[in-house]
Amino acid sequence: MLDLFFDPAMLREMLDIPYDPRYAHLRPTLLDLNFLVKSLFFCIFLIFLRPILIRTVFLLFVKMMRLKPTEYERCYECLWQISFYGFIWPYTANYLFRQNWFWQSYLFWESPWPFQQMTNEIEFIYEFQFGWYLQCCYLLFVEPPKKDFLALIAHHIITLLLLYFSYAIGFFRVGSALLFCLDIGDIYLHFCKILRFFGNNSDIPAWVDALVYLPLPIIWFIFRIFFFIWKVAYPSIVEGILYRTRRNDHYYIFFNCLLTILFGLQVYWFYLILKIGFGFVKSGKKIDDIRDPTASETKKNEQQSQLTQQPQLTQQPQPKQQSQPKQQSQPKQQSQ
């Protein structure tokens, strides 16, 4: 069945990987203390950097936008996400675009895989990303939980496992392509949220909200679904299967099972994005993050404020009705 998708003989000829007995029974070392120590340093650095930026740059930004105090925390989170991904994704893309193996995925497995030389750029990307997701796990337990808390914690844990084991067992070319596919979606997602906060405090037409929203599902589908299959899943599952029985692919099932679960989470969040858009088209609901508990709280507050205004309108004519019987009772008492 695999011959229907690719020609194994042609792929072996392109890769031209001879059998080398030196690598036949070797396995990469799973414990890398140097990587863990550096990643932990980046995690601590990000944990301390976040409140500093909140009290200085981010606070100044939300005041300039004249946001409501209830929206401060949500805007801080978006600015923090944009600050990280706005730096790391262009850095990763700039490195990958200069690599031949990124454009020709069969070179993910070129000799001497899985003992390919790792550059300083790849090491920095992995260590910084691993420290970031450690920090994200910490924040999930510190901040108010979201509706998809379980999906988020599963996503972060799976990403941490993929990052570490792809770094340790020689799958770092697939892992760096995975980071390229995932990170750009977070940039535009949180950019849309910030524009939504601005729209809550200003009169923005509905068609502007629609124009801002439309690129989000397109970007999400192209990078997190299509590119995920093309640049990550196919090279890892289909092209990598040739080496499961040849040498050193002892973690084929483990690695690709995690990739499959991670892809399922991307499809789930893509469904939530489409659900927000359909709600806007059908009933004109505001385009907002339905996972965020503070978003539902603001909606409840708006509904309660509308309900409190309605009884005040009905109670205004009541004093006039009560005053009329008193005027009629006075003449009767005088007549008696």
Side-chain angles (χ1 to χ4, degrees):
M1 294 296 293
L2 292 175
D3 294 339
L4 298 175
F5 299 96
F6 64 93
D7 186 358
M10 181 183 67
L11 188 57
R12 291 192 187 97
E13 184 178 355
M14 286 190 300
L15 292 172
D16 191 18
I17 300 178
Y19 176 79
D20 194 336
R22 294 177 301 173
Y23 300 122
H25 303 289
L26 291 179
R27 295 191 182 188
T29 57
L30 292 180
L31 183 60
D32 193 330
L33 293 177
N34 185 33
F35 173 80
L36 293 176
V37 170
K38 290 182 179 178
S39 300
L40 184 60
F41 167 78
F42 282 121
C43 174
I44 298 173
F45 169 75
L46 292 170
I47 290 175
F48 281 96
L49 179 62
R50 186 173 182 268
I52 294 174
L53 292 178
I54 287 176
R55 295 173 184 176
T56 56
V57 181
F58 297 167
L59 181 60
L60 179 63
F61 180 82
V62 296
K63 288 183 177 180
M64 290 177 59
M65 293 183 65
R66 298 180 180 178
L67 301 183
K68 299 177 182 178
T70 56
E71 297 175 339
Y72 278 13
E73 292 297 328
R74 298 175 65 195
C75 190
Y76 292 156
E77 179 188 358
C78 295
L79 293 172
W80 178 238
Q81 298 277 343
I82 291 175
S83 300
F84 174 79
Y85 289 113
F87 163 75
I88 197 63
W89 187 83
Y91 183 89
T92 304
N94 180 52
Y95 172 78
L96 293 179
F97 289 166
R98 293 184 281 110
Q99 309 303 316
N100 293 330
W101 50 263
F102 178 73
W103 304 104
Q104 299 173 340
S105 60
Y106 64 86
L107 293 178
F108 287 176
W109 319 108
E110 66 179 339
S111 183
W113 181 87
F115 302 99
Q116 298 162 342
Q117 183 179 4
M118 185 177 295
T119 61
N120 294 330
E121 290 86 351
I122 287 291
E123 290 184 1
F124 171 74
I125 291 170
Y126 264 80
E127 292 164 356
F128 201 33
Q129 288 272 12
F130 197 86
W132 166 259
Y133 280 102
L134 286 176
Q135 176 258 171
C136 289
C137 291
Y138 167 77
L139 292 178
L140 282 178
F141 292 96
V142 173
E143 296 179 345
K146 296 183 179 180
K147 294 181 180 179
D148 61 343
F149 172 82
L150 295 178
L152 283 173
I153 195 64
H155 172 269
H156 295 344
I157 292 175
I158 291 172
T159 305
L160 286 171
L161 291 174
L162 285 172
L163 283 172
Y164 180 77
F165 284 101
S166 64
Y167 181 91
I169 66 180
F171 281 73
F172 60 87
R173 291 187 176 181
V174 182
S176 58
L178 174 64
L179 295 174
F180 170 81
C181 295
L182 297 182
D183 291 349
I184 188 173
D186 288 304
I187 298 175
Y188 192 77
L189 172 65
H190 294 285
F191 174 75
C192 290
K193 290 183 182 180
I194 292 177
L195 291 182
R196 179 65 263 168
F197 299 149
F198 180 75
N200 291 337
N201 300 279
S202 59
D203 296 331
I204 295 180
W207 62 269
V208 176
D209 289 339
L211 287 179
V212 173
Y213 164 80
L214 282 177
L216 178 59
I218 296 174
I219 293 174
W220 200 276
F221 176 81
I222 292 175
F223 285 91
R224 292 206 170 197
I225 295 180
F226 176 73
F227 276 8
F228 194 108
I229 297 173
W230 177 34
K231 287 294 184 182
V232 179
Y234 179 79
S236 181
I237 297 174
V238 180
E239 294 178 345
I241 200 173
L242 297 175
Y243 304 93
R244 182 178 59 175
T245 56
R246 294 189 67 189
R247 64 172 192 175
N248 292 324
D249 206 351
H250 306 287
Y251 307 99
Y252 174 86
I253 297 177
F254 170 76
F255 191 80
N256 288 295
C257 284
L258 292 179
L259 281 180
T260 304
I261 297 173
L262 188 62
F263 179 75
L265 291 173
Q266 309 311 315
V267 175
Y268 167 69
W269 282 319
F270 183 66
Y271 158 75
L272 292 182
I273 292 173
L274 293 180
K275 184 178 179 180
I276 295 172
F278 288 141
F280 175 76
V281 172
K282 286 184 178 181
S283 58
K285 295 181 180 179
K286 290 185 178 180
I287 299 177
D288 206 346
D289 189 359
I290 60 178
R291 308 169 304 142
D292 198 332
T294 58
S296 60
E297 289 178 1
T298 54
K299 292 180 180 179
K300 290 181 181 179
N301 293 333
E302 291 178 357
Q303 293 176 355
Q304 290 178 357
S305 63
Q306 293 177 358
L307 292 174
T308 54
Q309 290 176 0
Q310 291 178 358
Q312 292 177 0
L313 295 175
T314 57
Q315 289 176 1
Q316 288 179 358
Q318 291 179 359
K320 295 181 179 179
Q321 294 177 357
Q322 293 176 357
S323 61
Q324 291 177 358
K326 292 181 180 179
Q327 293 176 358
Q328 294 175 359
S329 61
Q330 290 177 357
K332 290 182 180 179
Q333 293 175 358
Q334 293 176 359
S335 61
Q336 291 176 356

